[in-house]
Amino acid sequence: MTAKKWITVLALLAPGVGLIAVMIGTVIYMAVAQSLGYYSLMGESEFSFEFWDKMLGRKAYYKSVRFSIYIGFFSALFSVALAYPLAIWLRKPFNGSLLIGAVLKAPLLVPGLVAAFLFINVISYNGILNQFMQWIGFWDAPHRLQNDRNGYGILVLQTWKNMPFALLLLTGAVQSISDDVLDAARDLGAGTMARFRKIIAPLTISSMQAALVIIFIGAVADFSFQVIAGPTNRQSLAQFMVFFKDSGRWHDAAVVGVTLMAVALIGSALLAFATRIILKGGRIK
Amino acid sequence: MKQATINKILMYSLITVCAVWLIIPFTMAVLWSLVDPVEPWTADKLLPPVMSTYRWAYMWENSSLRPALFNSYVLAPSAAIVTLLLASPTAYALGRIQFPGREVAKLITLLPLVVPGFVTAIFFSSIIFQLGLHAWRFGAILFAHSVILMPYAIRIMTVSFEQVRQDHIDAARDLGATTIERWKVAYMPALKPGIMAALLIVFIQSIEEFAIAFIVGSPSFVTVPTLLFSTLGQDFVRPNAAVLALILIVPNVIMMLILERLLKSANPSLSSGKG
Amino acid sequence: MSTIDIDRLEMRFGNFTALKDISVSVKEGEFVTLLGPSGCGKTTLLKLISGFLKPTNGTIKIANEDVTLTPPEHRDTALCFQSYALFPHLTIKDNIEFGLKQKRVNGSERKQRLQDMAGQLALDAQLDKLPNQLSGGQQQRVALGRALIMRPGVILFDEPLSNLDAKLRDSVRVEIRRIQQENNLTAVYVTHDQSEALAMSDRVMVLNGGVIEQVAPPETLYNAPSTSFVADFIGGANIMNAEVTGETEPGVWALQTPIGEMVSKSDRTPAAKHIKVCWRPEAVKLVDSPVNSFTARVTERQFQGSYTDLFVDIGGNGYRLKTSDPGIYPGENINCSIEPSDLILLEAIQ
């Protein structure tokens, strides 16, 4: 490549990739730097591990890390586990499959906050779910479902919101497997489970990893679902971070922010890796 | 049992589940938005005792709904256009020029999707504070939206640029077309659906974006999502929240219907920003 | 090495009848080709035999066992796909062994069979590669090996050569036939290529519009087609309408045709008074003869190397001749004749 061509390419990249790299790079740099005591908005800026030290001594910090990982992992798992059979079922068009696809993907249109509102509306103390359960005689008295201690409400919400996304990715991947390949497996004696485990899953592994990772990152960093529908005695990492920031403790917020990024990154890598191991390494012989 | 029978059974049960899943929540929201304050809707009644559009009028008159709508609907189209303008040169380079490091550049475009939204929001606001630019919140949010939503636009436009056929360009040149005419004849027809899709997706994402609008905008700059969030907070009035939730969802449904039409022929995973 | 018995098979898709009243039996170790134009139902029939489709009516028996409703994974058939359908994520070794693993064949036997198969198909060096690293011909052999290693009772081929270039096609054709004969496999082979069908098969089954036109060994099919469709589809023929005017002596029929009065010597009894008859372009002799002779005017000539195609006009109708004499040109009138046994009686005119 000539120098002139390089300059052209760099000039073209500058407003797009360049801007992204600069802005996100600065954001990450700022988070790391502030967690280490630099860029103080008040007081002096100097390098120190003080904020990390103090944070690592807080019980609430560990609780919050654990809670976020729990939400992220199970949201991704449930969404993908639910989406897979549906994607396989919808692989070949049949009467009504378009309608089903549309209904299933409808939550993609619903903004997260609206989804949260609709959800708490249904599960509230006097809401329709409690009424219904009492009416069929399953429960004697209304149960308190909102802000449940285990975050089941959040998991339901996250799955509702993210399953369609996993379905979108997986449908594309599953549809790209040719009929002949699946027929060949059948012809050679592979039953439904064997076809899934040995043909469909390995051939759609990258879409599955993409779905798992993207949903995991989104759910691990969740703020609004947690504030609206989550347990009141737990805090997600994002919530924890906003709490520090609102009280002006930028350095503490930065420590949590860096933790959140690390959790998202390491968690995604582990998820992707584990998927590969389970599908390719497990019981090959 | 025959495959067709199984499909039928599965289908009906699924439609039932989805109806419960979609219709009940939305019906509840609509009903709640119609509750008249004269008489509260208590648990023992199937429908609200008195229904009126009072809440809608009330929210329109007495909350920040009007500025929020104004802000959201100025912000989103601006973000869509700015994002498209910023993304297109990069998309052209990624789609039509072979250069070493292209794959790396493609990976970098995904960065905004990987860094959690609230981390971006908080430390972007920190940067703005450091630079002393926090006064013009609209500009700051517009800029941040344009950057974090750029992956979608770059991805869609890159595919569009790849689809421009070299023989069309060559034919136009061969027939003596000028640079501008060449763009009109060979590029635009292939790019048009991509441009529309990119604009719509950024528009929708910007309308419902919460983290940046909330962190950078609060307390003075209100968008529909931040207003809804505060309504869901300490002074939670269910009917008012219902009104806001319904208002927030309307543009999405309309835009998505248009988008669906646009993307019908295209690969669904194109719009997801992953490849 | 199983037999196949198909009895009054019918397949309908909604209102469309893809196959109607198909009855045929295939012997052990026989190579039967399903031949016909696209849309004739040959692939549907193959899918019925392999179990991917369930017939609307009728039965299929393999090795005297009714398998009409048995799913493909439990049938003793192995299918070679037109697209090869190799598993793109598995190595050649894993592809070939796939079926054996499903059947839980133990490791040592699997290894033995793999070695045999790889040797037989010259794939030893490719076993650790992925399918997309192989050439088209090699992929074809892998598909073949993957099916053969199962030692199936019936091996099915769905136009296996259509993705190969012409030269390779000939050699793979020979190879498939050799392996089938060596292993005494019962084979059903689908193709739309008549020369493939004639060259490879013990018997050919010609399908048209979902019905069987004729089932016969290649030689019979060529020398004694029973319908004008078969006559035209295999080798090409000049087809005429004829009226049977009488039987001059046993097995010899007098006919009134557009090119004059003719006689045909045939074992068949004419199906009706008004029938179709045909003659092969290459059956014409350019000499006068007491019977079945006529004069033709050459309208066009195409030199083909070993022979020359002539388009001629006889009494206002166009016909085709093939001759080894390259010295005949348009405008000339030639005297021709056809042996009575080369004038073939076909079906009745509807």
Side-chain angles (χ1 to χ4, degrees):
Chain A
M1 286 204 6
T2 60
K4 199 180 152 210
K5 202 174 162 201
W6 265 117
I7 291 170
T8 316
V9 167
L10 290 178
L12 288 169
L13 292 183
V17 176
L19 195 59
I20 288 176
V22 169
M23 158 139 170
I24 302 295
T26 317
V27 162
I28 296 172
Y29 167 75
M30 182 61 73
V32 174
Q34 284 196 323
S35 79
L36 294 173
Y38 293 112
Y39 295 102
S40 182
L41 287 168
M42 46 211 97
E44 37 195 292
S45 299
E46 57 177 357
F47 178 82
S48 95
F49 277 119
E50 180 197 338
F51 302 102
W52 279 98
D53 263 352
K54 277 198 205 142
M55 189 62 74
L56 292 174
R58 289 190 182 100
K59 245 176 114 181
Y61 172 78
Y62 294 104
K63 251 172 100 176
S64 151
V65 169
R66 269 204 307 274
F67 182 68
S68 282
I69 292 175
Y70 160 78
I71 293 293
F73 177 74
F74 283 103
S75 300
L77 192 71
F78 291 157
S79 302
V80 170
L82 211 59
Y84 239 123
L86 291 170
I88 293 170
W89 180 45
L90 293 173
R91 197 177 82 89
K92 299 283 268 180
F94 54 87
N95 272 341
S97 63
L98 268 180
L99 175 70
I100 292 175
V103 169
L104 285 173
K105 286 172 196 152
L108 278 176
L109 313 185
V110 183
L113 284 167
V114 175
F117 168 72
L118 296 177
F119 181 68
I120 57 170
N121 219 354
V122 168
I123 63 158
S124 65
Y125 195 73
N126 286 318
I128 194 162
L129 181 65
N130 264 317
Q131 299 279 328
F132 181 74
M133 291 307 246
Q134 287 175 77
W135 180 67
I136 62 169
F138 207 71
W139 291 344
D140 298 331
H143 283 221
R144 193 188 149 69
L145 301 170
Q146 201 176 339
N147 310 102
D148 69 291
R149 296 172 58 89
N150 295 311
Y152 296 145
I154 303 185
L155 289 180
V156 172
L157 256 175
Q158 289 281 7
T159 308
W160 189 81
K161 184 85 179 89
N162 286 316
M163 192 282 286
F165 176 71
L167 183 63
L168 201 67
L169 284 186
L170 289 174
T171 311
V174 169
Q175 276 172 347
S176 70
I177 302 175
S178 84
D179 289 350
D180 277 357
V181 164
L182 289 175
D183 281 353
R186 247 190 120 177
D187 190 57
L188 293 167
T192 311
M193 268 324 283
R195 285 204 296 282
F196 175 74
R197 248 174 28 77
K198 297 197 167 168
I199 310 292
I200 297 176
L203 284 176
T204 52
I205 190 169
S206 44
S207 293
M208 178 161 52
Q209 285 172 323
L212 279 173
V213 163
I214 291 175
I215 295 172
F216 174 78
I217 292 177
V220 101
D222 165 56
F223 173 82
S224 43
F225 285 0
Q226 163 63 16
V227 172
I228 293 165
T232 40
N233 62 337
R234 303 278 172 88
Q235 285 197 308
S236 76
L237 280 168
Q239 194 183 13
F240 205 38
M241 179 172 65
V242 172
F243 160 76
F244 282 124
K245 178 246 160 195
D246 282 347
S247 25
R249 293 159 69 179
W250 284 92
H251 300 294
D252 290 323
V255 171
V256 180
V258 172
T259 310
L260 181 50
M261 281 192 283
V263 166
L265 204 68
I266 297 168
S268 316
L270 284 177
L271 262 182
F273 185 65
T275 315
R276 188 152 291 263
I277 292 287
I278 290 168
L279 286 183
K280 298 224 158 148
R283 264 197 68 202
I284 266 228
K285 293 283 160 271
Chain B
M1 217 180 341
K2 274 188 148 175
Q3 182 68 27
T5 329
I6 298 177
N7 274 348
K8 227 175 219 166
I9 293 172
L10 276 170
M11 204 173 86
Y12 284 127
S13 51
L14 203 81
I15 287 178
T16 318
V17 168
C18 286
V20 168
W21 212 222
L22 291 175
I23 293 170
I24 289 187
F26 278 101
T27 315
M28 296 293 292
V30 171
L31 288 178
W32 270 110
S33 79
L34 295 174
V35 170
D36 195 277
V38 174
E39 201 181 330
W41 185 14
T42 46
D44 53 329
K45 299 193 181 73
L46 191 63
L47 287 174
V50 184
M51 286 199 267
S52 72
T53 52
Y54 171 84
R55 299 286 178 179
W56 290 79
Y58 173 84
M59 288 304 282
W60 182 253
E61 296 296 335
N62 296 309
S63 72
S64 330
L65 179 57
R66 266 182 295 176
L69 276 174
F70 177 80
N71 286 341
S72 281
Y73 280 89
V74 171
L75 182 65
S78 315
I81 291 167
V82 173
T83 308
L84 184 70
L85 292 178
L86 292 174
S88 293
T90 288
Y92 176 81
L94 293 178
R96 297 207 70 81
I97 304 176
Q98 293 290 337
F99 60 91
R102 205 162 65 126
E103 292 309 310
V104 177
K106 279 186 176 174
L107 277 182
I108 294 176
T109 63
L110 298 177
L111 263 182
L113 300 179
V114 179
V115 178
F118 268 88
V119 175
T120 310
I122 286 184
F123 296 98
F124 176 68
S125 81
S126 166
I127 296 167
I128 292 176
F129 273 114
Q130 310 272 356
L131 297 175
L133 292 173
H134 52 282
W136 195 39
R137 294 180 196 275
F138 177 81
I141 296 175
L142 174 62
F143 174 77
H145 274 193
S146 303
V147 175
I148 63 157
L149 299 179
M150 206 149 29
Y152 301 100
I154 290 180
R155 171 79 186 143
I156 294 170
M157 292 307 291
T158 302
V159 174
S160 292
F161 273 113
E162 278 168 358
Q163 279 166 351
V164 177
R165 285 175 50 182
Q166 188 61 42
D167 53 354
H168 286 174
I169 302 170
D170 292 347
R173 274 183 92 167
D174 188 53
L175 296 168
T178 62
T179 313
I180 294 170
E181 280 170 336
R182 244 181 278 157
W183 272 86
K184 246 165 65 184
V185 157
Y187 284 91
M188 281 318 280
L191 294 181
K192 227 181 201 163
I195 292 174
M196 288 305 292
L199 286 175
L200 279 172
I201 284 199
V202 175
F203 180 91
I204 288 177
Q205 299 264 353
S206 169
I207 282 270
E208 61 175 81
E209 201 281 334
F210 173 65
I212 287 170
F214 177 63
I215 298 289
V216 180
S218 65
S220 57
F221 188 86
V222 194
T223 65
V224 181
T226 59
L227 182 62
L228 176 59
F229 181 76
S230 62
T231 317
L232 293 175
Q234 28 328 41
D235 30 65
F236 176 53
V237 183
R238 202 180 294 272
N240 294 352
V243 170
L244 285 178
L246 290 173
I247 288 177
L248 190 50
I249 207 165
V250 169
N252 282 32
V253 174
I254 295 171
M255 293 290 165
M256 273 302 196
L257 287 179
I258 303 174
L259 193 67
E260 180 84 356
R261 195 144 295 171
L262 274 173
L263 292 179
K264 213 159 226 172
S265 53
N267 179 352
S269 64
L270 295 186
S271 55
S272 66
K274 265 304 286 187
Chain C
M1 300 101 267
S2 309
T3 56
I4 308 173
D5 296 284
I6 294 171
D7 188 33
R8 281 165 296 165
L9 206 60
E10 179 176 284
M11 187 67 204
R12 279 199 303 262
F13 298 104
N15 289 326
F16 173 69
T17 305
L19 288 172
K20 206 162 74 187
D21 196 27
I22 304 288
S23 294
V24 69
S25 290
V26 180
K27 292 192 282 283
E28 274 185 22
E30 194 179 21
F31 194 112
V32 171
T33 301
L34 307 182
L35 177 66
S38 56
C40 72
K42 55 190 192 298
T43 301
T44 305
L45 182 51
L46 197 74
K47 286 196 164 174
L48 285 164
I49 298 173
S50 52
F52 290 105
L53 292 174
K54 306 254 178 292
T56 318
N57 273 310
T59 56
I60 300 169
K61 287 181 182 172
I62 292 176
N64 297 319
E65 189 189 333
D66 189 335
V67 295
T68 314
L69 299 175
T70 311
E73 54 267 42
H74 297 129
R75 277 191 202 199
D76 190 17
T77 58
L79 178 56
C80 280
F81 289 80
Q82 180 172 17
S83 63
Y84 313 146
L86 301 180
F87 306 125
H89 59 297
L90 298 180
T91 60
I92 300 312
K93 173 174 173 291
D94 288 336
N95 260 286
I96 296 178
E97 281 190 325
F98 187 89
L100 296 182
K101 282 184 187 163
Q102 299 310 311
K103 270 175 90 179
R104 314 225 183 282
V105 172
N106 69 50
S108 56
E109 177 170 0
R110 221 165 54 210
K111 205 172 156 197
Q112 185 58 45
R113 284 212 220 172
L114 177 72
Q115 268 176 4
D116 291 350
M117 194 48 63
Q120 205 173 0
L121 295 169
L123 287 169
D124 309 80
Q126 324 296 340
L127 288 179
D128 292 324
K129 292 185 183 165
L130 286 172
N132 62 13
Q133 294 170 298
L134 264 54
S135 69
Q138 287 171 326
Q139 291 186 21
Q140 166 67 59
R141 290 212 296 278
V142 175
L144 196 59
R146 191 177 66 176
L148 285 172
I149 201 168
M150 301 295 289
R151 302 191 179 149
V154 175
I155 185 156
L156 307 166
F157 298 93
D158 186 9
E159 310 216 14
L161 306 184
S162 59
N163 288 327
L164 298 177
D165 60 56
K167 224 174 174 180
L168 209 54
R169 210 175 293 171
D170 287 341
S171 67
V172 177
R173 184 198 281 186
V174 172
E175 191 154 291
I176 289 180
R177 182 62 165 153
R178 175 181 64 80
I179 291 170
Q180 181 263 334
Q181 282 176 331
E182 273 174 14
N183 299 289
N184 193 32
L185 290 164
T186 307
V188 177
Y189 187 103
V190 162
T191 182
H192 64 269
D193 181 340
Q194 46 124 340
S195 67
E196 223 168 89
L198 294 180
M200 298 177 80
S201 324
D202 293 319
R203 272 195 301 159
V204 180
M205 175 168 157
V206 182
L207 279 168
N208 183 32
V211 295
I212 297 180
E213 292 274 342
Q214 189 172 5
V215 190
E219 296 78 8
T220 314
L221 214 56
Y222 182 79
N223 293 322
S226 58
T227 66
S228 48
F229 176 83
V230 176
D232 191 49
F233 195 75
I234 305 211
N238 293 300
I239 296 165
M240 314 183 293
N241 293 340
E243 183 186 344
V244 183
T245 52
E247 190 174 16
T248 55
E249 55 186 277
V252 179
W253 305 89
L255 304 167
Q256 183 63 45
T257 76
I259 61 172
E261 289 190 5
M262 313 277 272
V263 291
S264 162
K265 190 167 182 300
S266 172
D267 304 338
R268 289 181 194 155
T269 310
K273 189 163 173 59
H274 293 273
I275 58 168
K276 285 187 186 284
V277 296
C278 78
W279 43 283
R280 298 284 180 195
E282 57 272 31
V284 171
K285 298 202 170 65
L286 299 187
V287 291
D288 229 341
S289 148
V291 287
N292 290 357
S293 69
F294 49 89
T295 307
R297 194 170 55 82
V298 178
T299 56
E300 207 176 306
R301 166 186 181 271
Q302 282 178 1
F303 178 64
Q304 304 279 7
S306 59
Y307 63 92
T308 303
D309 270 327
L310 296 177
F311 294 84
V312 301
D313 180 289
I314 309 168
N317 295 314
Y319 299 94
R320 257 179 82 179
L321 311 180
K322 249 182 205 177
T323 172
S324 54
D325 179 359
I328 302 170
Y329 289 89
E332 291 179 31
N333 284 316
I334 48 175
N335 292 321
C336 321
S337 60
I338 307 169
E339 286 286 324
S341 59
D342 284 336
L343 191 63
I344 305 156
L345 305 179
L346 303 172
E347 77 274 21
I349 297 171
Q350 301 294 325

